[in-house]
Amino acid sequence: MISRRDFLKVGIATGGGLLLGFSTLAETRAADAVGAHANGPDASASTEPDFVPNAWVRIAPDGQITLVVSASEMGQGAMTVLPMLIAEELDAEWGRFVTEFAPASQTYANPLLGGQITGGSATVRGFYTKMREVGATAREMLLQAAARQWGVSANSLITEPGRVVHPASGRVAQYGDLAEAAASVPVPGSVMLKSEQDFRIIGKPTPRLDTPIKVNGQAGFGIDAQPEDVRTAVIERCPVFGGTVKSFDAAAAKAVKGVIEVIGLPHGVAVLARDYWTAEQGRQQLKIDWDPGHLADLSSEGITQALREGVEAKARTATKHGQGAAALPASGSKSVFRAVYQAPYLAHTCMEPMNCTAAVTDQGVTVWAPTQAQGKAQQAAAQAAGVDAAKVTVHTTFLGGGFGRRSEADFVTEAVTLAKRHGHPVKVVWSRPDDVQHDYYRPIAYNELAAELDAQGMPKTWVHRIAGPSIWQRVAPSRVKDGIDPSAVEGAADLPYGIPNLEVTYALIDPGVPVGFWRSVGHSQNAFVVECFLDELAAHGGHDPYEYRRKLLKGQPRYLGVLEKAAEMAGWGKKTLPKGHHHGIAVAKAFGSYCAQVAEVSIESGKPRVHKVYCAIDCGVAVNPAGIEAQMQSGIVYGLTAALSGKITLKDGRVQQQNFNDYPALRIDEMPTVEVAIVGSGVDSGHTIGGIGEPGLPPIAPAVVNALRAATGKPQRELPIQL
Amino acid sequence: MAKRPLAPCCPRRAMFHSLNQMLPDAAAGACDVIELTVNDRKLQLDVSEQMPLLWALRDYLGLTGTKFGCGAGLCGACTVHLDGKAVRSCVTPIASAKGKRVTTIEGLSAVSDHPVQLAWIAEDVPQCGYCQSGQIMQAAALLAEMPNPSDAQIDQAMAGNICRCGTYNRIKSAILRAAGNPNQNMALNAGAAVDSGLAQEATEVQS
């Protein structure tokens, strides 16, 4: 029997990529598994600090295979698609394994992002090759083990799902029977990956592994964490960004039956009770004197004015081709068209309000968090508790939506701070108004555009000036180079259209409202701006917007591929639409994938009604077509919600919206039917793999707005849509 | 729908324990013990009569399948049945549940085999899954009252339940399926059309 030490060696030898388990591992595994923890703060004590499960695959002698899922599951299907990649190359029986979420460890960093982050539509892009190698390495070791046992060459063996077979003799061994022997096999230096025609799993529409536990209430989200003796905390935060507590009177709050403690924090006051509702009752009795800080006068009007004034004055060039803006003739020329496009701040409103549960003991810190960024959560917890990060165990739960909001760790800091002060495990739960009013918002954007058309109505100069706050300035300032936040100009500075003179500028103007990643980030507004202005230009020259794009995308086969597919699906220019219905089209490349959409829209009772969306996506490699279809629908709904109603406004430094009544979400009776086609994708297509979680979003707003322009003849240059 | 893969274990389940052991503690207080029937179990709770049912279910009974979304009856994530009718438990004082049957997602069926749950699985509806308990409870109440709802009736009944992930198309398909009218156009088994030849057969992966 291999010793624990030897066992760890195997783990190290594989670069953290492989770990084959044994019977002696069973106990260790139970303590280690993300959710196999016993309840409560003592659970952290059972985690031996020197044992990080730096592994992706465990095969127990009883045949149970455990696959570790390194990315957070927030609806995008990571928990299904990553096991697909491992199982394909391991030749595991699909579904006959269990999964668990990885703990916080750099071992599980996404190779594309360099950190343990689920975002940027990077899960499959980052892990596609690595997870396949993990599976192939395990399979190779199982083959070698069987070869030794049977005294045959490994080349004479094949695998069938879950077992090794020696066809010449008919001998068969289940993976579990080989697990122990396989662990003493030298780790292969390199492994062969399957070729596309041998895939059994990759490329097949595959139902989600988490569906069964999401239809019976069993899936554990962050808000469901119930370590023993946990108290719920709600926090009254300063309504003005950056404001602090001057003083507070907790007497009335403490007098509420069931309130256990009231704790002052720099940015607010927390009320703790056994249950959420009682804590809220206490919260309503708080008397707090705020120091609102320097943003107390902030208003939407003031912010827009600052952006307008700075858009040219503070402009830094992000990209320039030909003569750039200098090519524009003096104002007054009839061939020059100008427009101002604006997009508002947006909240994320994940269905699961922000929350985090923490226990702080002498042994360390345990955090149960619906997080997109385990490393960041771990750091935030360590800082809040004043301990080394190695003392922090992060359990990733299911996420009730993420959309970028859960890449932040503010809720982790709050939970750990309160758990440490209070001495018992604490679950911080945000109300919906807390969630709407204390978000890291999609940046507001102010855009001035100018274009000159040639005699044929084709653009020969395109100038796009962007002003807005910067996400990277706050999150990672080194990403802002020469004053340009790449996320603010993505989808604009890399304009695909063949225009001889191009200039895109960016003015970083930060009014102070916290901004963060919001599904598809800069593309969420830039696709709207670019694709709608282009549509306006097409109309000026009397061109069909689809044909106009085709001309300008000459030599861009992947853009053309999705554009033509979406048009074909919709019957663009061919199909007779019902009276009052109009088509709009848009295309965008984001996160390595190309997506075009045609929206069929009418106006009902003065409001836009989106009947149908035809969506064509080229993501290079389509690992799970069923998941891709779902993510296209998802991006469309998220983007459509924003286009139709999303707007965060400020007055006196305070967000004016607070719940789904004044910050609405699209409902089923407003939902268009969505048809999805996957084009041009295949492992052997030679295309790099693209993302899926975000690329479905950017084209929807412009497709709808362009359809409305077709319907009304009037451009719509500000979101949300106002007819 | 053919064979499903085995459900993965829910790795977090251990900490989401039923808080039954907390009940004696909850009932230790002297006054206002409220009697409830939840998922066919008679229970006693010592909490304020004004406490919304949602928090009694989640924080005292450990029935966390019912979700908190808005606290104002705007999103439907907290939908449960009161004597078979769908209600928003976040705005339903526990007092109004006295003497009535409360059914949560955990009690909808014994082994996740309510027709709505089976349809949900067949259509692979959930994404993040957070709103799905409420969606399913709402759909189950709809079908109990209206076994063959039209599209418009589904829209009307389900419009109070928000899904931010955008599972609406599949929700509609699942309801039609549960009603015995699977909409083949929208069913998962039709799959997304794939042009590349990579995944010609739109079948489920099976071993």
Side-chain angles (χ1 to χ4, degrees):
Chain A
M1 180 59 69
I2 260 183
S3 71
R4 177 175 167 77
R5 187 171 191 81
D6 291 329
F7 158 77
L8 281 172
K9 265 190 202 159
V10 172
I12 291 160
T14 60
L18 169 71
L19 188 152
L20 294 172
F22 315 97
S23 56
T24 50
L25 185 60
E27 293 81 4
T28 320
R29 189 170 65 79
D32 237 334
V34 171
H37 269 298
N39 310 300
D42 292 340
S44 59
S46 67
T47 303
E48 297 177 41
D50 65 340
F51 186 87
V52 176
N54 55 346
W56 310 85
V57 179
R58 292 197 295 269
I59 303 175
D62 67 1
Q64 171 154 302
I65 299 177
T66 304
L67 304 181
V68 177
V69 176
S70 53
S72 303
E73 176 56 69
M74 50 192 179
Q76 87 285 30
M79 188 181 140
T80 302
V81 77
L82 291 178
M84 285 176 74
L85 299 173
I86 302 176
E88 178 71 69
E89 299 288 349
L90 174 59
D91 220 357
E93 280 187 84
W94 179 250
R96 298 195 75 84
F97 49 79
V98 296
T99 63
E100 63 185 41
F101 293 126
S105 166
Q106 194 60 22
T107 301
Y108 299 105
N110 184 313
L112 191 66
L113 304 174
Q116 196 178 1
I117 298 160
T118 308
S121 301
T123 297
V124 173
R125 287 197 289 161
F127 284 113
Y128 182 67
T129 302
K130 181 163 183 155
M131 288 303 98
R132 290 177 64 199
E133 286 171 353
V134 159
T137 302
R139 177 180 172 274
E140 181 62 26
M141 292 171 79
L142 291 161
L143 284 175
Q144 294 291 345
R148 278 191 195 179
Q149 281 189 2
W150 296 336
V152 300
S153 86
N155 290 339
S156 67
L157 301 174
I158 59 166
T159 54
E160 290 174 357
R163 59 195 200 156
V164 177
V165 179
H166 184 235
S169 65
R171 270 179 295 195
V172 169
Q174 302 297 319
Y175 281 177
D177 298 336
L178 296 166
E180 189 172 334
S184 59
V185 165
V187 178
S190 64
V191 286
M192 286 282 288
L193 298 180
K194 282 186 185 175
S195 56
E196 184 175 327
Q197 67 267 21
D198 295 328
F199 284 165
R200 292 184 304 111
I201 299 172
I202 294 175
K204 305 293 194 297
T206 305
R208 301 174 62 102
L209 291 170
D210 52 357
T211 290
I213 55 170
K214 285 180 172 175
V215 302
N216 63 11
Q218 298 295 303
F221 294 85
I223 201 168
D224 302 332
Q226 300 277 27
E228 202 176 320
D229 198 27
V230 69
R231 282 87 196 271
T232 299
V234 298
I235 302 174
E236 178 74 12
R237 296 169 190 78
C238 183
V240 179
F241 294 116
T244 52
V245 178
K246 239 194 268 179
S247 64
F248 65 97
D249 176 357
K254 283 181 178 164
V256 171
K257 188 186 166 196
V259 168
I260 298 169
E261 195 180 358
V262 176
I263 298 176
L265 299 168
H267 70 302
V269 179
V271 179
L272 282 68
R274 162 83 179 276
D275 64 89
Y276 173 89
W277 183 77
T278 301
E280 271 290 343
Q281 300 303 108
R283 174 185 179 179
Q284 284 164 27
Q285 300 302 320
L286 288 170
K287 294 178 185 65
I288 306 172
D289 189 15
W290 300 108
D291 173 358
H294 68 285
L295 296 176
D297 295 329
L298 208 59
S299 70
S300 289
E301 295 73 21
I303 291 169
T304 300
Q305 189 185 340
L307 299 183
R308 189 187 302 122
E309 286 170 2
V311 68
E312 191 156 1
K314 296 184 179 173
R316 307 285 291 269
T317 298
T319 193
K320 188 176 169 181
H321 299 153
Q323 298 171 59
L328 273 186
S331 55
S333 165
K334 275 193 177 167
S335 60
V336 176
F337 296 90
R338 293 177 191 276
V340 172
Y341 275 81
Q342 298 184 74
Y345 286 114
L346 293 173
H348 297 79
T349 55
C350 303
M351 281 312 295
E352 179 188 17
M354 294 304 107
N355 68 84
C356 180
T357 303
V360 180
T361 68
D362 293 342
Q363 283 77 45
V365 180
T366 307
V367 165
W368 293 266
T371 178
Q372 293 178 245
Q374 287 76 8
K376 196 171 179 176
Q378 190 181 39
Q379 289 295 333
Q383 202 174 350
V387 300
D388 192 84
K391 289 254 183 192
V392 178
T393 304
V394 176
H395 298 303
T396 303
T397 64
F398 279 111
L399 282 60
F403 312 121
R405 177 63 180 89
R406 289 192 154 100
S407 64
E408 304 292 342
D410 48 339
F411 42 90
V412 178
T413 299
E414 288 179 345
V416 174
T417 302
L418 291 172
K420 188 181 180 186
R421 294 265 294 272
H422 183 55
H424 297 263
V426 170
K427 171 159 63 177
V428 168
V429 179
W430 293 33
S431 71
R432 181 58 63 188
D434 295 339
D435 183 68
V436 172
Q437 298 183 337
H438 299 277
D439 203 342
Y440 290 91
Y441 301 89
R442 196 283 301 271
I444 191 169
Y446 180 88
N447 302 265
E448 288 185 359
L449 294 108
E452 186 186 19
L453 302 183
D454 65 19
Q456 284 75 47
M458 303 307 287
K460 55 183 184 183
T461 302
W462 172 287
V463 180
H464 182 177
R465 299 194 186 283
I466 300 169
S470 161
I471 300 168
W472 285 116
Q473 179 91 329
R474 175 180 68 82
V475 176
S478 65
R479 294 287 299 269
V480 180
K481 294 205 171 68
D482 300 325
I484 307 291
D485 178 335
S487 78
V489 300
E490 60 190 6
D494 47 348
L495 196 75
Y497 299 112
I499 300 173
N501 303 300
L502 172 77
E503 186 159 347
V504 179
T505 67
Y506 174 62
L508 195 168
I509 296 167
D510 178 15
V513 176
V515 291
F517 301 105
W518 188 97
R519 198 173 192 173
S520 82
V521 198
H523 297 283
S524 70
Q525 71 267 13
N526 286 333
F528 156 66
V529 175
V530 165
E531 287 295 288
C532 292
F533 188 58
L534 189 82
D535 237 55
E536 286 195 49
L537 298 182
H540 284 307
H543 291 273
D544 173 84
Y546 164 59
E547 295 297 343
Y548 199 64
R549 284 176 174 79
R550 284 188 69 212
K551 275 184 198 155
L552 289 165
L553 288 170
K554 204 168 282 174
Q556 304 260 23
R558 298 185 74 185
Y559 275 99
L560 286 170
V562 291
L563 190 73
E564 290 171 357
K565 183 66 185 177
E568 177 202 316
M569 291 163 78
W572 181 273
K574 297 190 176 117
K575 197 167 90 180
T576 309
L577 298 177
K579 194 170 181 297
H581 288 218
H582 296 268
H583 274 160
I585 193 166
V587 63
K589 179 196 175 193
F591 304 93
S593 292
Y594 300 76
C595 186
Q597 290 166 12
V598 172
E600 183 182 326
V601 180
S602 71
I603 296 171
E604 287 179 7
S605 315
K607 286 182 179 167
R609 168 86 206 182
V610 184
H611 299 273
K612 206 144 190 183
V613 178
Y614 305 89
C615 172
I617 174 78
D618 172 358
C619 55
V621 179
V623 177
N624 184 1
I628 291 168
E629 181 197 43
Q631 282 308 290
M632 290 303 107
Q633 294 181 341
S634 186
I636 286 166
V637 166
Y638 208 73
L640 189 54
T641 292
L644 295 177
S645 64
K647 188 174 192 177
I648 290 293
T649 57
L650 286 105
K651 193 175 178 225
D652 301 328
R654 291 157 164 81
V655 167
Q656 292 180 285
Q657 292 71 30
Q658 59 171 358
N659 210 322
F660 291 118
N661 58 328
D662 50 12
Y663 191 78
L666 194 90
R667 292 173 186 271
I668 197 169
D669 56 344
E670 306 162 295
M671 178 70 193
T673 36
V674 177
E675 272 183 37
V676 177
I678 300 169
V679 291
S681 297
V683 176
D684 296 335
S685 65
H687 294 154
T688 52
I689 191 163
I692 276 304
E694 292 161 287
L697 189 148
I700 187 61
V704 170
V705 167
N706 291 338
L708 289 170
R709 192 195 48 71
T712 65
K714 279 187 289 188
Q716 169 74 42
R717 294 170 175 162
E718 193 176 340
L719 293 180
I721 293 162
Q722 285 279 330
L723 286 180
Chain B
M1 179 109 173
K3 184 180 79 177
R4 294 282 309 173
L6 291 182
C9 74
C10 172
R12 290 139 305 278
R13 197 57 200 162
M15 71 166 178
F16 306 113
H17 58 147
S18 154
L19 299 191
N20 287 342
Q21 68 268 32
M22 284 185 166
L23 281 175
D25 175 51
C31 56
D32 292 351
V33 173
I34 297 170
E35 295 202 354
L36 284 179
T37 303
V38 181
N39 299 335
D40 294 328
R41 287 176 60 205
K42 280 205 160 80
L43 300 167
Q44 293 186 334
L45 272 178
D46 174 22
V47 296
S48 163
E49 292 206 329
Q50 295 309 305
M51 178 181 289
L53 181 57
L54 172 66
W55 300 108
L57 293 172
R58 288 185 54 83
D59 289 351
Y60 291 89
L61 302 178
L63 295 169
T64 52
T66 304
K67 299 304 188 209
F68 169 51
C70 70
L74 296 166
C75 78
C78 66
T79 304
V80 299
H81 294 174
L82 212 53
D83 280 348
K85 302 266 188 250
V87 299
R88 308 296 186 223
S89 65
C90 75
V91 291
T92 302
I94 195 167
S96 60
K98 274 199 280 192
K100 293 187 179 166
R101 285 180 298 113
V102 179
T103 309
T104 71
I105 186 74
E106 291 91 345
L108 184 63
S109 65
V111 287
S112 307
D113 57 351
H114 186 282
V116 171
Q117 288 169 311
L118 294 176
W120 241 249
I121 290 170
E123 299 287 344
D124 215 26
V125 174
Q127 288 188 26
C128 90
Y130 193 79
C131 73
Q132 298 296 335
S133 297
Q135 304 276 4
I136 289 167
M137 296 308 283
Q138 187 71 38
L142 164 69
L143 290 173
E145 200 170 301
M146 206 177 276
N148 263 303
S150 67
D151 254 35
Q153 286 166 329
I154 293 172
D155 277 354
Q156 192 180 5
M158 302 301 296
N161 291 70
I162 293 173
C163 169
R164 293 285 279 140
C165 295
T167 62
Y168 294 134
N169 280 178
R170 290 189 185 184
I171 285 174
K172 196 170 279 186
S173 299
I175 293 174
L176 291 171
R177 177 185 286 266
N181 303 305
N183 179 341
Q184 292 303 328
N185 289 330
M186 290 200 284
L188 171 71
N189 291 350
V194 179
D195 266 8
S196 66
L198 174 64
Q200 291 292 358
E201 37 172 341
T203 55
E204 287 171 62
V205 174
Q206 304 215 6
S207 299

